[in-house]
Amino acid sequence: MKTAAKLFTNLTNKYMPDPLVIAIGLTALTMLLAMVIRGNSFLEVTSQWGGGFWDLLAFSMQMTVILVAGYILAKTPLVDRGLTAIAHRVSSPRAAIIVATLVGGIGSWLNWGFGLVLGGLIAQKLALNVKGLHYPLAIAAGYSGFALYGIGLSGSVPLLIATPGHFLEEQMGLIDLGRTIFDPVILGMVIVLLIGLPLFNAALHPKDPLDVKEIDPTTVAPAPEKIQADKSSLTVGERLNASPVFSIGIGVLALIYLVQHFATGGSLDLNTVNFALLFLGILFLTRPTYFLDTLNDGIRLAAGIVVQYPFYAGIMGILTGSGLVVSFAAWFGDISSAETLPFLSFLSGGVINLLAPSGGGQWAVQGPVMIEAANQLNADYAKTALGVQIGDQWTNMVQPFWILPVLAISKLKLGEVMGYLVLILVFIGVIFGAGVLLWGYMG
């Protein structure tokens, strides 16, 4: 495995361009497929691309906020002290890889924005503390836990189809979370990954010290600047910025709202998650000036989303407008049975996610086709829907879009971690594929 990891790392270092170049290349590939498979003209696919370029602005903002708010929460003194305490208890490189995977995985299961950033931060702290730790593998390990996000508490598709009024409610009704993320088979997959993935990642650590790349301490962002001890030198405005009254007051108000929201039957959705993360960050940072300093760092991490999401929206515009996504999904539906449809939904979700990573947003275009196929085959709606979600999260391991924030934290290049992520993709694919296939045959 170490030889394979080194081979893939060398190949990706040599041949893989920056993620923006990949997004442009995927745009060209999708246009070509639409013209060849669906018979669309060049002008038609160009119109579909341009027409869809801004279609995901609202979703982009939600994803930006969940990433920035997750970063802010992960950088609060409470969480930071916890991560530092964990890192100081680890002394060996392989143990560090195990810890980075577990922290990233558990954090992503709780909330994907929080876990995505947490995995990178713990990997960075471990690299500073553990001598001989191969930093690119530590970052890849911390990111690999992101594979759990879709079957966790913030999974986009499970939360959507459990929410009254979702766009496919007439076709499939409401699907309780007990049939998706809390189903015993899905919980079993989570447990298997949390046990197996850390051990797999640890086995990839180089033995030869010459193959180890340690962290450059100068690349680590400093902690937010503290308030001056001599408060007499502060202006009135600076005193207000440094006052805990404002942060604690608005944080408590937000907590009161959340309690009221859930007590009156309010649902858990992306907006609710973002609201909770944002105000927990404000509350735990205690002072507006601390919050704003951390916010500025977090916004830099979201630059990739702001720039690239429109390109992926354009790709989804081509997939939808040309009917290409229907062709892909319908083909899987035509060759499947009621028992195998969840597995083929998993495969199709993974393939389409490579073209248009969306944090579950591809369900808007793939969902109607897969649910119609499930209806015709009398297949289970919950298993079919979650198959798409699991495929989505599976191929995120090699889809460069979501790792951008982690690379921004680590100051590493994509090619330095991609070789490990290819092997992780294969390992996770075996677990997910076997689990979804078994689930499809269970009553």
Side-chain angles (χ1 to χ4, degrees):
M1 288 192 298
K2 296 183 181 69
T3 302
K6 187 174 181 179
L7 172 64
F8 283 124
T9 299
N10 290 337
L11 289 174
T12 51
N13 269 322
K14 185 175 182 179
Y15 295 108
M16 180 165 285
D18 288 334
L20 179 60
V21 176
I22 295 176
I24 296 172
L26 288 175
T27 300
L29 174 61
T30 310
M31 294 177 71
L32 179 63
L33 292 175
M35 289 187 286
V36 173
I37 296 177
R38 298 295 299 185
N40 285 237
S41 69
F42 173 76
L43 290 179
E44 284 176 329
V45 294
T46 301
S47 177
Q48 293 157 3
W49 173 71
F53 201 78
W54 301 114
D55 282 353
L56 292 178
L57 277 180
F59 191 64
S60 299
M61 187 61 182
Q62 287 177 317
M63 296 299 101
T64 300
V65 171
I66 203 170
L67 173 60
V68 173
Y71 174 84
I72 290 170
L73 184 59
K75 293 291 284 185
T76 59
L78 180 65
V79 175
D80 186 69
R81 284 195 295 269
L83 294 179
T84 300
I86 291 172
H88 284 168
R89 292 177 178 272
V90 181
S91 57
S92 72
R94 285 182 176 79
I97 297 301
I98 290 173
V99 170
T101 309
L102 285 173
V103 170
I106 294 172
S108 295
W109 188 86
L110 292 172
N111 180 273
W112 72 262
F114 179 61
L116 180 63
V117 175
L118 204 66
L121 292 177
I122 187 63
Q124 190 176 70
K125 286 182 177 292
L126 287 164
L128 289 170
N129 185 68
V130 179
K131 186 173 178 57
L133 176 60
H134 188 44
Y135 191 37
L137 176 59
I139 290 295
Y143 175 72
S144 69
F146 188 54
L148 288 169
Y149 96 90
I151 50 177
L153 299 182
S154 63
S156 306
V157 174
L159 288 178
L160 178 67
I161 61 179
T163 302
H166 72 85
F167 70 92
L168 286 177
E169 184 174 358
E170 290 187 8
Q171 289 77 23
M172 63 186 300
L174 295 175
I175 306 296
D176 184 82
L177 293 177
R179 295 176 57 194
T180 53
I181 61 175
F182 294 126
D183 184 278
V185 174
I186 299 302
L187 291 175
M189 278 195 278
V190 171
I191 294 171
V192 169
L193 270 181
L194 287 177
I195 295 173
L197 185 58
L199 297 176
F200 178 82
N201 289 342
L204 298 176
H205 197 277
K207 288 185 177 180
D208 189 343
L210 296 177
D211 292 331
V212 172
K213 177 179 179 178
E214 295 187 334
I215 189 173
D216 178 1
T218 63
T219 63
V220 179
E225 187 177 346
K226 301 300 182 183
I227 301 300
Q228 300 177 35
D230 183 11
K231 294 186 179 181
S232 63
S233 65
L234 299 178
T235 66
V236 173
E238 289 172 336
R239 286 173 179 269
L240 293 175
N241 292 339
S243 172
V245 173
F246 295 97
S247 292
I248 295 176
I250 197 67
V252 171
L253 181 64
L255 292 179
I256 293 173
Y257 165 77
L258 288 172
V259 171
Q260 181 187 37
H261 173 76
F262 291 116
T264 56
S267 62
L268 182 67
D269 56 24
L270 283 173
N271 291 330
T272 308
V273 168
N274 278 339
F275 187 91
L277 283 175
L278 181 64
F279 284 99
L280 284 174
I282 292 174
L283 181 63
F284 290 161
L285 283 171
T286 69
R287 289 171 170 80
T289 188
Y290 292 174
F291 173 78
L292 292 175
D293 287 344
T294 311
L295 174 65
N296 288 333
D297 289 336
I299 288 175
R300 284 196 288 270
L301 297 183
I305 292 178
V306 174
V307 172
Q308 290 194 83
Y309 228 98
F311 282 91
Y312 289 117
I315 292 174
M316 293 193 75
I318 299 171
L319 290 170
T320 306
S322 68
L324 196 58
V325 72
V326 175
S327 296
F328 288 158
W331 179 75
F332 280 109
D334 288 342
I335 63 172
S336 64
S337 64
E339 291 77 21
T340 60
L341 183 62
F343 177 72
L344 292 172
S345 296
F346 158 72
L347 293 179
S348 65
V351 170
I352 293 173
N353 180 61
L354 290 173
L355 295 176
S358 59
Q362 71 188 60
W363 178 250
V365 288
Q366 190 178 355
V369 177
M370 302 313 297
I371 293 304
E372 176 59 28
N375 184 50
Q376 294 177 5
L377 296 170
N378 198 28
D380 188 282
Y381 294 140
K383 296 176 182 180
T384 301
L386 211 60
V388 174
Q389 174 72 88
I390 294 173
D392 177 328
Q393 66 192 52
W394 167 48
T395 52
N396 278 334
M397 291 300 98
V398 293
Q399 173 33 269
F401 181 73
W402 292 114
I403 199 174
L404 288 174
V406 182
L407 294 179
I409 292 172
S410 66
K411 304 299 189 296
L412 294 175
K413 295 180 179 179
L414 180 62
E416 294 179 276
V417 300
M418 185 57 74
Y420 297 108
L421 292 176
V422 170
L423 296 177
I424 290 169
L425 174 83
V426 175
F427 178 80
I428 292 174
V430 171
I431 294 175
F432 278 157
V436 172
L437 188 60
L438 173 66
W439 197 31
Y441 279 96
M442 295 177 64

